[in-house]
Amino acid sequence: MTQSEFTYEYDAETVRDTQFLIGARHTPSTNNVESFAVILFFELSDGTRVEVAKVDNSEHDEGTIHADRYYRETGAEIKDLDVDVSDCWDAEDWLLDNAQRFCRTYLENHGKQHREDGANV
């Protein structure tokens, strides 16, 4: 998995001795955001990121902002096209507001690994 660089990242939550972070990518820049992804993740000991949840505006439904809920059980729908987020800043706030629940659920469902179905690889 090739990991792209974040515009910035910071610590979000520590759950069960695991440090979770928020990383944001803004294109072309933070002052002029045309596309974005805000990701809640943790890192394995080799530095590989394991994504827990992501909010972005990539092309799925005509560029609609949506969430990828990787913390859900394997087999459950992970795309949420009906998330109440209007921009990259709302996306960051939404992930922070829900981080503890998302992190706990990810660890319960998937442990400290990527999902078995490879959805967050």
Side-chain angles (χ1 to χ4, degrees), residues 5 9 17 21-22 25 27 29 31 33 38 47 66 72 89-90 94 96 99 101 115-116 118:
E5 294 298 314
E9 67 180 70
D17 298 322
L21 301 98
I22 294 280
R25 286 192 292 267
T27 305
S29 71
N31 294 325
V33 179
V38 182
H66 66 281
R72 290 183 170 167
W89 316 113
D90 281 350
W94 184 79
L96 282 170
R101 179 172 52 94
R115 291 171 54 104
E116 288 180 12

Side-chain angles (χ1 to χ4, degrees), residues 16-103:
R16 297 185 189 156
D17 298 322
T18 301
Q19 180 62 56
F20 292 83
L21 301 98
I22 294 280
R25 286 192 292 267
H26 300 152
T27 305
S29 71
T30 300
N31 294 325
N32 181 24
V33 179
E34 292 176 9
S35 66
F36 71 90
V38 182
I39 302 169
L40 175 65
F41 69 99
F42 63 96
E43 291 184 344
L44 300 175
S45 60
D46 67 0
T48 302
R49 289 185 204 135
V50 178
E51 295 182 4
V52 172
K54 174 173 64 174
V55 181
D56 65 70
N57 66 342
S58 65
E59 296 294 325
H60 286 292
D61 187 29
E62 299 177 16
T64 301
I65 296 172
H66 66 281
D68 295 302
R69 298 174 181 258
Y70 302 123
Y71 56 87
R72 290 183 170 167
E73 292 180 1
T74 302
E77 180 60 46
I78 60 171
K79 294 282 185 214
D80 185 348
L81 300 173
D82 190 31
V83 61
D84 188 24
V85 171
S86 62
D87 59 27
C88 60
W89 316 113
D90 281 350
E92 198 168 327
D93 289 343
W94 184 79
L95 282 175
L96 282 170
D97 289 346
N98 294 287
Q100 189 168 97
R101 179 172 52 94
F102 293 171
C103 296

